[in-house]
Amino acid sequence: MPKKQILTFTAFLLCLHITVAQNPKKLNSVEIFNKIEKLNFLGSVLYIAAHPDDENTRLISYLSNEQKARTGYLSLTRGDGGQNLIGTQLRELLGVIRTQELIEARKIDGGEQFFSRANDFGFSKNPTETLRIWDKEKVLADVIWAIRKFQPDVIVNRFDHRSPGTTHGHHTASAMLSVESFNLANNPTIFPDQLKFVKPWQSKRQFFNSSWWFYGSIEKFNAADKTNLIAIETGVYYPAIGKSNQEIAALSRSRHQSQGFGSTGVRGEETEYLEFINGDALKDKKSLFEGIDTSWNRVKGGKPIGELLTKIAKEYDFKNPSASIPNLAKAYSMIQALNENHWAPLKLAEIKEAIASCAGLYLEAVAQIQEATPRSTIKVKIEAINRSSNSIELTSTTSLPNNSTTTQNRDLKNNIVNNISLDLKLPESLNYTQPYWLKDNGTVGMYTVNDQENIGIPDIIRDVKVVFNLKINGVAIPYERTVIYKYNDDVKGEVYNYLDIVPQVTTSIENKVLLFTDNKAKTVVVKIKSGKEDVKGNLQLELPKNWQVSPQSISFTIAKKGTEQTVSFQVTPPLSADEAVLKSVAVIDNKRFDKEQIFINYDHITKQQVLQSAESKLIRTDLKTSNERIAYIMGAGDEVPNSLRQMGYTVTLIKADEITAQKLENFDVVITGVRAYNTINALAFKQNILFDFVKSGKTMVVQYNTNGDLVTDNIAPYPLKLSKDRVTEEDAEVRFLAPDHNVLNFPNKITTADFTGWKQEQGLYYPNEFDKAFTPILSSNDTGETPKNGALLIAPYGKGNYVYTGLSFFRELPEGVTGAYKLLANIISLSSVEKDSKSNTKK
């Protein structure tokens, strides 16, 4: 096969044999050649949008793999405000998941990932609101920081900066900030504190990545004048792997599992369109890099390096990649000698990994344990093997962060394993492993990151590493490896995780919300987990003085690391309505430990440790409930069943395919979880049974679904059409359309005050067309919009009630919003109230 046909598939091929993020890279001969070819291209593109999933993976893959450009994606948020189709994690925990999904996506399409400090606070209908909540100045600073640090030749915006109000406010805001940053990034008077670390940068040109979507339909786009658009043919076929660019992009897109974005790759011609909006216009419209020297000539003294790399690629032996090592080592030395601080460091990192791959060099540092505490000493097994005939010497190893160097002076002979044991002392000042952007409290719209150099880093910052100091063909080349932990699973085989640094002890309060409907004490259960051997201390609960706790503290002793002890306290509420935050604190040798350890573990991303404040919300309220037995059909995943149990209900989770008339006889209410009719195919065949359940005198409550991809159009016993109507302003005025309806009066009196303190939004995907059998209960709207009346619809059906609600109970209940509990209790009690009313009438 001619070398010119062996295009850049490194990122894609890598995904075929890396099942989790931290597995060591083992490149084949074609992948190594692609790395060598990419060494000779010095051009870059930064793609900018608002969320995980906004990026155009087809274009990113094309630029990275076909053009061989350094390609980055700046997602202003981590997707914290969306919904989760694979679990119950929401808000910042969902942001952690989507961060990892983006990192995995970039490994497939070949791009690099970056973020700003902006928090995805939920859907926003205009950029004015977005920029106010985000703190425009800080996010603008982050975009400029990313541009100055990445130094893109070309910037591509996913969204149109000229169309506020036509799409998500975050979308338009991302484009507006990008356009504003285009020239400001080169102004040294703008955010001058950044210039301690970076220099001003002027990109050559900027584009808007247009598509038919922005025109309203494919037909309108095909008919539109495209004179001002640049066409890029991205439907490239890569014969070396038998995959199209679109197929690679689809695999990347499919990493967004929490959003249900599994994609099927397509083949054949495909065109991406870019509209020029800033900088130097293209004359021939054939290359985004027109007028930009993407060779080594752009670096002073770089010409000989480019010539040598061209020679290496030309003479590359696919059967013996190690034959390239002498010249690659020479090129490494030449790059190292350059007086240049952007392309030189980038290409040094690339070339030394190319050298390692040519040599079949395997370097790994494995801890014997997965969790360790500061001040402890861990044993680390080092493996180093050279699988080539080239001269490689391991001169020393340096452990980080304590910067301790151990002399090795080992000749790494061909295919001879070198195993070395190190004792690695962890300093007391070592940071715990956690997403750095969650360490300090932020605001609704912004995460707090105080270290300028950390802003934009996509992943958890891990400090425990081992540096392998090698001499390869006489050239000193250091290789840094993060310390990992691995084990063998009987089903999955070799499983890799990172070493996590943990507190001596973590605690977890069993219920994140505790409801007190009278002044009786409740039991608060706390789990204590040890992060080391032989932990002794005292656990106490901190809460306001008008709440009482007994005992004041409980002593604990845990002998074995990783094990738990459960203790219980009695908490008595005040006599009147109140809300409080309860914090669990363990004290060991006068040191406080107040964190809860949370693990996020899915097969498609790296296992994540998150440390959050060990807290619970306490609510003293006069909430009234009946004794309904509830069957809950989980949809995409939510915490509503736990909240229902806190309210005193008996809740049974049932699967859709288990639904039978006989099984439902044992229940008074059926509730479907969020997006159940988007995700549970079996529901399409159970509707008659569910409707008969209602007809018999029971209540069915359907929580929100999106208006696309419904498993059945007959989600209600009467005509009902979902829309994209939503109320994103959680403090929007709520008006009662049916003030005398039971749902607003029994067993709890609902007032507009019960909609105070709602989080993120009031609701979403409200029906906008519905049968006259439905009674609309509530009306509200975002500023400047028409009233939305579909938040809560109730229709009698037979002897019972069918309820559809787009209200975001799935967000409000776990947040401890009292009014949401009261309203849901009334919804659940509908049939019971009517039965009681009829019974009293007969009497």
Side-chain angles (χ1 to χ4, degrees):
M1 178 185 299
K3 292 176 183 175
K4 289 297 181 183
Q5 292 183 16
I6 304 172
L7 304 176
T8 306
F9 319 118
T10 303
F12 169 73
L13 292 176
L14 200 56
C15 80
L16 295 180
H17 40 228
I18 291 189
T19 55
V20 288
Q22 59 274 28
N23 285 35
K25 299 177 182 178
K26 304 169 187 176
L27 306 186
N28 63 39
S29 185
V30 172
E31 294 171 311
I32 296 169
F33 176 73
N34 294 327
K35 277 189 172 290
I36 292 172
E37 282 211 318
K38 200 161 186 174
L39 286 168
N40 232 350
F41 190 92
L42 280 67
S44 56
V45 180
L46 183 62
Y47 199 92
I48 299 178
H51 310 106
D53 83 9
D54 285 344
E55 82 277 28
N56 184 340
T57 56
R58 297 180 302 277
L59 189 57
I60 290 175
S61 176
Y62 173 85
L63 291 169
S64 178
N65 297 321
E66 176 68 8
Q67 291 280 294
K68 302 179 178 64
R70 185 186 182 212
T71 308
Y73 174 42
L74 172 60
S75 174
L76 297 193
T77 76
R78 296 175 184 267
D80 328 74
Q83 285 82 51
N84 184 359
L85 292 186
I86 61 173
T88 60
Q89 298 89 354
L90 293 175
R91 295 299 307 146
E92 61 272 7
L93 296 183
L94 178 58
V96 172
I97 293 173
R98 292 190 173 176
T99 291
Q100 291 302 312
E101 289 177 338
L102 273 182
I103 291 171
E104 294 302 315
R106 297 295 80 79
K107 291 176 182 177
I108 294 172
D109 59 38
E112 299 177 46
Q113 185 61 50
F114 308 101
F115 295 96
S116 81
R117 290 171 292 177
N119 190 338
D120 179 3
F121 56 83
F123 192 88
S124 177
K125 293 181 178 178
N126 63 78
T128 302
E129 178 198 47
T130 296
L131 295 174
R132 174 177 55 81
I133 297 176
W134 271 355
D135 189 335
K136 177 192 172 183
E137 194 73 2
K138 289 182 179 179
V139 185
L140 178 66
D142 292 355
V143 176
I144 289 175
W145 167 256
I147 292 171
R148 288 172 171 174
K149 192 174 182 181
F150 191 80
Q151 296 186 16
D153 298 308
V154 177
I155 296 175
V156 179
N157 299 335
R158 184 52 173 141
F159 299 103
D160 188 352
H161 63 288
R162 300 156 299 191
S163 57
T166 61
T167 181
H168 196 323
H170 297 182
H171 292 168
T172 310
S174 72
M176 292 169 64
L177 290 169
S178 178
V179 169
E180 187 173 353
S181 299
F182 184 76
N183 290 318
L184 290 182
N186 197 36
N187 186 338
T189 67
I190 302 298
F191 306 118
D193 289 348
Q194 295 181 3
L195 303 183
K196 300 173 186 176
F197 312 102
V198 293
K199 65 180 183 180
W201 179 255
Q202 182 61 62
S203 299
K204 190 76 169 177
R205 54 184 62 99
Q206 186 176 42
F207 299 93
F208 157 47
N209 183 193
S210 187
S211 73
W212 69 264
W213 187 84
F214 296 95
Y215 287 74
S217 69
I218 295 176
E219 292 73 21
K220 290 181 181 179
F221 181 65
N222 290 338
D225 180 7
K226 299 183 180 62
T227 304
N228 294 325
L229 301 183
I230 300 158
I232 300 177
E233 300 303 322
T234 57
V236 180
Y237 173 64
Y238 301 129
I241 59 169
K243 296 286 183 183
S244 68
N245 184 67
Q246 303 101 306
E247 288 172 312
I248 295 173
L251 290 169
S252 172
R253 185 75 169 172
S254 296
R255 291 297 87 192
H256 298 301
Q257 292 186 18
S258 66
Q259 302 187 71
F261 281 167
S263 299
T264 299
V266 298
R267 291 143 293 280
E269 295 181 347
E270 186 170 62
T271 305
E272 287 290 334
Y273 292 93
L274 302 180
E275 179 186 350
F276 171 79
I277 55 176
N278 253 326
D280 295 347
L282 296 176
K283 295 179 181 179
D284 61 14
K285 296 185 179 180
K286 291 182 179 179
S287 171
L288 299 184
F289 296 98
E290 178 183 296
I292 302 170
D293 190 348
T294 58
S295 73
W296 275 95
N297 293 337
R298 77 183 297 175
V299 176
K300 185 178 179 180
K303 184 178 180 181
I305 298 171
E307 293 172 346
L308 178 56
L309 290 171
T310 299
K311 179 177 184 293
I312 294 170
K314 185 177 180 180
E315 296 176 353
Y316 182 76
D317 186 347
F318 286 90
K319 293 184 178 181
N320 182 24
S322 65
S324 298
I325 291 177
N327 278 332
L328 284 170
K330 181 180 178 181
Y332 178 91
S333 297
M334 293 168 69
I335 297 172
Q336 196 173 42
L338 292 174
N339 184 23
E340 201 270 350
N341 60 9
H342 179 68
W343 283 110
L346 291 171
K347 294 302 179 181
L348 275 178
E350 290 180 23
I351 199 169
K352 71 180 186 180
E353 292 304 328
I355 292 170
S357 297
C358 284
L361 186 61
Y362 188 88
L363 305 171
E364 188 174 70
V366 182
Q368 291 186 356
I369 54 177
Q370 186 178 355
E371 296 183 356
T373 56
R375 293 186 63 187
S376 64
T377 298
I378 61 173
K379 290 191 177 296
V380 178
K381 177 186 175 183
I382 289 176
E383 179 180 342
I385 182 170
N386 165 29
R387 289 172 284 189
S388 76
S389 59
N390 284 263
S391 171
I392 300 180
E393 180 187 359
L394 175 62
T395 59
S396 63
T397 53
T398 302
S399 57
L400 301 176
N402 56 356
N403 205 31
S404 174
T405 298
T406 303
T407 300
Q408 301 293 346
N409 291 331
R410 292 171 178 257
D411 182 16
L412 302 185
K413 296 181 180 179
N414 187 3
N415 212 30
I416 302 298
V417 177
N418 288 263
N419 288 322
I420 306 165
S421 293
L422 287 180
D423 287 337
L424 203 160
K425 177 70 175 178
L426 302 179
E428 184 174 9
S429 60
L430 186 61
N431 291 322
Y432 299 136
T433 302
Q434 62 180 321
Y436 69 90
W437 60 95
L438 298 180
K439 183 177 179 182
D440 297 312
N441 293 330
T443 65
V444 172
M446 297 293 295
Y447 284 121
T448 298
V449 181
N450 295 314
D451 189 333
Q452 177 66 52
E453 290 186 283
N454 288 347
I455 294 174
I457 293 175
D459 208 351
I460 287 174
I461 299 171
R462 300 179 186 273
D463 299 315
V464 185
K465 302 177 182 180
V466 171
V467 180
F468 295 76
N469 300 301
L470 304 179
K471 278 190 177 180
I472 301 178
N473 280 42
V475 178
I477 305 178
Y479 287 88
E480 186 178 273
R481 296 291 184 262
T482 301
V483 174
I484 61 165
Y485 169 77
K486 65 179 183 179
Y487 64 95
N488 185 75
D489 181 271
D490 289 343
V491 176
K492 298 178 181 179
E494 192 174 47
V495 176
Y496 281 75
N497 288 305
Y498 284 113
L499 170 72
D500 285 332
I501 307 304
V502 303
Q504 291 184 40
V505 66
T506 54
T507 65
S508 174
I509 303 172
E510 186 173 69
N511 293 304
K512 302 309 177 191
V513 175
L514 278 161
L515 290 175
F516 295 80
T517 58
D518 52 34
N519 62 350
K520 294 180 180 178
K522 277 196 171 185
T523 300
V524 175
V525 177
V526 184
K527 291 182 179 179
I528 311 166
K529 182 181 177 183
S530 173
K532 57 179 291 187
E533 306 289 324
D534 298 321
V535 171
K536 297 180 181 179
N538 290 286
L539 183 70
Q540 58 194 41
L541 299 184
E542 295 182 349
L543 68 173
K545 292 181 180 179
N546 59 331
W547 292 75
Q548 298 178 4
V549 59
S550 177
Q552 293 298 309
S553 68
I554 297 176
S555 62
F556 62 86
T557 300
I558 305 178
K560 189 173 177 60
K561 172 184 173 180
T563 57
E564 294 180 345
Q565 181 178 331
T566 300
V567 298
S568 298
F569 295 85
Q570 294 295 309
V571 172
T572 304
L575 295 176
S576 58
D578 192 27
E579 294 184 0
V581 174
L582 170 71
K583 177 175 282 191
S584 170
V585 180
V587 179
I588 302 174
D589 297 329
N590 295 319
K591 187 174 181 180
R592 290 166 52 92
F593 295 89
D594 59 0
K595 298 299 182 184
E596 176 182 2
Q597 183 185 50
I598 299 170
F599 286 114
I600 298 175
N601 196 8
Y602 294 100
D603 286 342
H604 69 298
I605 60 175
T606 302
K607 181 181 178 182
Q608 302 289 292
Q609 173 180 272
V610 180
L611 297 175
Q612 291 186 333
S613 183
E615 295 179 351
S616 176
K617 186 172 183 179
L618 307 181
I619 302 173
R620 170 68 173 93
T621 179
D622 60 353
L623 176 72
K624 299 179 180 66
T625 61
S626 302
N627 297 316
E628 289 84 4
R629 297 159 298 173
I630 299 173
Y632 199 93
I633 304 167
M634 191 68 74
D638 57 63
E639 293 287 355
V640 173
N642 292 334
S643 299
L644 292 171
R645 294 186 181 103
Q646 267 295 305
M647 296 167 72
Y649 293 112
T650 299
V651 182
T652 302
L653 296 181
I654 64 172
K655 296 180 179 179
D657 54 13
E658 298 174 345
I659 294 174
T660 63
Q662 183 177 6
K663 189 175 186 70
L664 294 185
E665 285 179 357
N666 299 318
F667 301 101
D668 305 297
V669 180
V670 167
I671 301 178
T672 61
V674 298
R675 297 190 66 178
Y677 284 95
N678 297 130
T679 58
I680 310 299
N681 291 327
L683 277 176
F685 310 102
K686 301 294 183 177
Q687 291 300 88
N688 290 336
I689 298 174
L690 291 168
F691 295 159
D692 285 345
F693 170 82
V694 178
K695 188 182 294 185
S696 70
K698 308 296 182 67
T699 298
M700 179 178 180
V701 183
V702 177
Q703 296 182 83
Y704 104 95
N705 295 272
T706 62
N707 61 348
D709 298 323
L710 290 167
V711 299
T712 175
D713 292 331
N714 300 315
I715 63 173
Y718 305 108
L720 179 142
K721 184 178 180 180
L722 303 184
S723 72
K724 291 187 177 181
D725 288 351
R726 62 176 81 202
V727 178
T728 64
E729 297 172 12
E730 59 271 22
D731 56 354
E733 177 193 4
V734 176
R735 301 171 293 275
F736 294 165
L737 300 176
D740 295 329
H741 197 285
N742 284 338
V743 78
L744 295 177
N745 294 281
F746 304 102
N748 303 284
K749 180 66 176 177
I750 304 298
T751 70
T752 54
D754 289 308
F755 291 89
T756 301
W758 282 51
K759 307 297 182 182
Q760 184 167 319
E761 64 207 3
Q762 283 187 7
L764 58 172
Y765 291 94
Y766 294 167
N768 64 348
E769 296 180 22
F770 43 86
D771 191 87
K772 63 181 181 181
F774 286 102
T775 299
I777 305 297
L778 306 172
S779 177
S780 64
N781 53 271
D782 288 330
T783 303
E785 293 195 352
T786 57
K788 305 295 183 286
N789 299 336
L792 178 58
L793 303 175
I794 302 175
Y797 185 68
K799 298 178 181 179
N801 289 280
Y802 175 92
V803 181
Y804 188 92
T805 179
L807 293 171
S808 59
F809 287 111
F810 72 104
R811 294 195 191 280
E812 313 313 322
L813 299 179
E815 292 284 349
V817 178
T818 305
Y821 280 95
K822 291 172 64 178
L823 181 56
L824 185 57
N826 284 14
I827 293 171
I828 291 170
S829 298
L830 278 172
S831 295
S832 296
V833 170
E834 292 179 3
K835 288 175 183 177
D836 290 344
S837 176
K838 292 176 181 177
S839 176
N840 290 332
T841 299
K842 290 179 181 179
K843 290 179 182 178

